[in-house]
Amino acid sequence: MLEHFELQDLSFPLLIKDVLESHFTGILFVSHEGYKKGIIFKEGNLCAIQSNRPEELLGEVMVHLGMISQKENEESLSTARIERTKQGVILQERGVIGPQDIKNALRVQLQTRFLDIFSWEEGQVQKITKDHIDTRPGLSARELSTLV
């Protein structure tokens, strides 16, 4: 099932309330001023968020957190693109970061991508219900409620 609406008509907090209460499984595509995000839910649990905001890329988050330098970010991102692998894998292989660092950075990235949308007063939403989502939840409904 596909629904279209404007954030002016249904605010993001109310949309998330509905997602949690209905145990929604599917994807919310939200766009605003050229920025686009895809928010994946499984039974009301937040699984992942895709974003086209450059500052929300994992490497940028790790630079902001002081885990890596900007140079390490640029070099590992370049290598990841050439080798078609994840940047975190490259950084781990180089001994720059450990698995716990990636886990922490991914959690911060997820929260940053999600909380950013709360500042959007305008924008478009596409809500697509799916029968099944294979992705494991990144946050439980309780963690999401706490974050909200």
Side-chain angles (χ1 to χ4, degrees):
M1 184 169 135
L2 174 64
E3 297 177 57
H4 288 130
F5 51 89
E6 302 289 320
L7 284 175
Q8 302 89 295
D9 299 330
L10 179 64
S11 69
F12 191 67
L14 289 177
L15 175 60
I16 294 305
K17 180 179 184 276
D18 177 64
V19 164
L20 293 173
E21 290 177 351
S22 68
H23 301 282
F24 174 71
T25 296
I27 305 170
L28 298 177
F29 290 103
V30 186
S31 60
H32 167 72
E33 295 182 354
Y35 294 118
K36 297 178 182 179
K37 299 193 183 199
I39 311 165
I40 303 166
F41 290 93
K42 181 177 184 177
E43 298 171 2
N45 296 301
L46 178 61
C47 295
I49 302 178
Q50 301 162 342
S51 172
N52 70 342
R53 289 188 81 128
E55 64 271 20
E56 294 176 348
L57 292 171
L58 184 61
E60 292 297 328
V61 170
M62 290 188 286
V63 168
H64 179 74
L65 293 172
M67 294 178 174
I68 63 172
S69 69
Q70 187 62 43
K71 183 178 179 183
E72 289 168 323
N73 178 35
E74 291 167 8
E75 289 173 353
S76 62
L77 187 57
S78 176
T79 302
R81 287 179 178 148
I82 291 168
E83 295 181 7
R84 296 183 185 256
T85 189
K86 294 187 177 192
Q87 185 178 17
V89 171
I90 300 297
L91 289 165
Q92 271 192 168
E93 288 175 351
R94 293 180 178 176
V96 177
I97 59 171
Q100 190 61 42
D101 295 320
I102 292 176
K103 184 177 178 181
N104 292 340
L106 286 171
R107 182 169 287 285
V108 169
Q109 180 190 48
L110 184 70
Q111 291 173 355
T112 301
R113 286 178 170 180
F114 182 72
L115 291 175
D116 175 56
I117 305 169
F118 281 89
S119 67
W120 298 5
E121 294 179 11
E122 298 179 342
Q124 296 77 43
V125 177
Q126 289 183 348
K127 183 179 179 184
I128 303 172
T129 302
K130 299 281 188 179
D131 292 329
H132 182 72
I133 296 287
D134 290 330
T135 307
R136 238 180 67 198
L139 292 177
S140 68
R142 181 180 172 158
E143 290 172 317
L144 180 59
S145 294
T146 301
L147 184 60
V148 172

